[in-house]
Amino acid sequence: MPSLVHAWTALVDAFSRHGVLPLLQWLHIDRLAGDPREIAESLMIAVVQVAIIACLFRPLETFWPAERWSDRKLTRVDRQYTLWMLLGIFPLFSYLVLTPFANYFGGVSSGTDTSSRDSILGITHWFPVLGQHPLALFLVYYVIYDLVYYTMHRVQHALPWWWALHSMHHSTRQMSCWTNDRGSLVDGFIQSMILAVVGLAIGVAPTDFAWLMLLGELVQNFSHTNTRLHFGPVFGRLFVDPTFHRLHHMRVDPTRPGLHNCNYGQVFSIWDVLFGTALYGEPIRPTGVGDPVVDADNEHGLVGLHWAAFKRFWGAVRTLDGWKPGEVSFGPGYRPVPVDHDAPPGQHAASLQSETISD
């Protein structure tokens, strides 16, 4: 293990000196972008993530598929978007936006200066002994990070203007190992800011935060795979697996219309168990959304997907209904339309469809 750590460190140092730093200097942004070594490590982590998705998770979909597709064409845009996000947009956002933001508010140090990690909200401020046990400290960080994500995810589904953005992620009819990164850039910005602020508050060092993100993203890449794998009756109550998360993405069942409001966890399914949102024992179901306005995302490419999500967001955020928690679809002018689960099966969908056509 030490040899792997040393090899990784040497690769990061070399890439930082010979790749990242010269590029930043050529772009005249070396003073704004943060530590070149952290940027190099982030990019290398992204490459590792893409390699794991392509070489491990993608083959699982071939050998143990949940659904068999005659054509994977709807997954192509998700694959393109994943590469775009991990190797381009996310690193640029992290080190040209989040890093200056963190530095402006004091940030956290990844070196020997730990003063910023000893803030009143820092974990090591309240539990100094964890500072001597980095693995235990990392686990505590991750439990907090995952609980924040679970809470944020529930709000994404409950707040109409946020669902207008997040629904882009749920609109895919072919959920695959590439689906995790499918999402509006506006939605991604909001999520990243919330998670980064929490990370800063509890004292997570930038390098630790990068590994937190990698762990969370890899688990989500795995949980989105089109596979029928599950962790069994014991570990399935603790960790999110593809069968568990697939139920979160299932299409609305007209006979049990609220069934899909479940399984919000990112890594730990324990939050769903504790807060009563866990669903187990259901058969494998098709994925996607019942709202025809959101389902139309499948007709778009990368740019069209973002434009459609933004139009829903803009139509919702300007209205009072867009701020009232509750499950919605989108009607004329992308106005949020409350979903009535007490209506006879199919009635709401039919009325929404007619409103959309008339628009």
Side-chain angles (χ1 to χ4, degrees):
M1 182 63 71
S3 60
L4 288 177
V5 173
H6 292 154
W8 174 263
T9 301
L11 284 172
V12 170
D13 289 339
F15 184 37
S16 173
R17 287 195 307 270
H18 304 297
V20 174
L21 184 57
L23 177 61
L24 295 178
Q25 292 172 337
W26 181 70
L27 294 173
H28 302 289
I29 58 173
D30 48 304
R31 295 185 179 181
L32 298 175
D35 187 346
R37 194 182 183 284
E38 291 176 3
I39 298 175
E41 185 164 35
S42 177
L43 287 169
M44 289 177 60
I45 287 173
V47 170
V48 169
Q49 183 178 347
V50 170
I52 292 174
I53 296 171
C55 300
L56 180 59
F57 298 161
R58 175 60 189 88
L60 289 176
E61 297 184 333
T62 298
F63 296 113
W64 294 283
E67 287 185 302
R68 291 195 179 275
W69 304 320
S70 58
D71 189 344
R72 295 179 59 94
K73 65 179 180 181
L74 293 180
T75 68
R76 293 171 191 162
V77 68
D78 294 347
R79 182 174 64 249
Q80 294 167 359
Y81 190 56
T82 296
L83 296 175
W84 186 38
M85 283 295 293
L86 295 182
L87 302 179
I89 297 296
F90 184 75
L92 287 175
F93 172 76
S94 297
Y95 292 100
L96 296 184
V97 177
L98 284 184
T99 298
F101 176 84
N103 291 337
Y104 181 80
F105 285 100
V108 292
S109 172
S110 58
T112 56
D113 179 12
T114 61
S115 59
S116 61
R117 301 181 214 175
D118 295 329
S119 66
I120 190 64
L121 295 177
I123 299 301
T124 54
H125 175 83
W126 294 98
F127 304 98
V129 67
L130 288 175
Q132 308 302 317
H133 302 279
L135 290 179
L137 179 60
F138 185 84
L139 179 60
V140 172
Y141 283 152
Y142 202 86
V143 170
I144 295 172
Y145 171 87
D146 201 62
L147 177 58
V148 170
Y149 182 91
Y150 169 85
T151 305
M152 180 177 64
H153 194 183
R154 292 196 64 176
V155 177
Q156 286 177 300
H157 282 255
L159 200 57
W161 66 259
W162 207 345
W163 169 247
L165 296 169
H166 186 59
S167 57
M168 172 182 160
H169 175 69
H170 279 263
S171 62
T172 182
R173 300 181 200 135
Q174 292 183 341
M175 191 174 79
S176 73
C177 58
W178 304 105
T179 300
N180 176 53
D181 290 292
R182 174 193 177 108
S184 164
L185 289 176
V186 178
D187 187 16
F189 174 81
I190 296 170
Q191 291 184 64
S192 296
M193 291 300 291
I194 292 172
L195 293 172
V197 168
V198 171
L200 288 171
I202 64 176
V204 182
T207 300
D208 289 340
F209 188 76
W211 287 105
L212 283 174
M213 292 291 288
L214 174 65
L215 177 60
E217 290 296 301
L218 279 177
V219 171
Q220 289 189 95
N221 292 135
F222 173 68
S223 66
H224 283 85
T225 55
N226 176 41
T227 62
R228 47 190 167 84
L229 297 175
H230 58 84
F231 293 157
V234 177
F235 289 106
R237 295 302 195 273
L238 298 174
F239 302 102
V240 173
D241 60 38
T243 302
F244 182 84
H245 192 69
R246 188 178 183 84
L247 292 174
H248 176 68
H249 277 262
M250 66 180 169
R251 291 180 64 88
V252 176
D253 184 340
T255 63
R256 302 163 73 188
L259 196 65
H260 60 287
N261 297 320
C262 65
N263 301 3
Y264 296 93
Q266 181 193 44
V267 172
F268 298 114
S269 58
I270 187 65
W271 308 124
D272 287 288
V273 174
L274 289 175
F275 296 111
T277 55
L279 178 65
Y280 295 96
E282 292 291 325
I284 290 174
R285 296 167 179 263
T287 59
V289 293
D291 182 352
V293 174
V294 178
D295 182 65
D297 285 356
N298 292 285
E299 302 169 8
H300 302 302
L302 284 178
V303 176
L305 274 171
H306 283 83
W307 179 236
F310 182 79
K311 286 191 293 185
R312 293 195 295 269
F313 163 72
W314 190 242
V317 76
R318 296 180 301 156
T319 67
L320 183 60
D321 287 338
W323 293 85
K324 294 179 180 178
E327 188 173 349
V328 300
S329 294
F330 296 94
Y334 302 97
R335 186 185 75 252
V337 179
V339 174
D340 183 8
H341 285 316
D342 294 326
Q347 179 174 306
H348 174 77
S351 63
L352 180 60
Q353 179 72 57
S354 63
E355 284 183 347
T356 305
I357 294 173
S358 65
D359 187 44

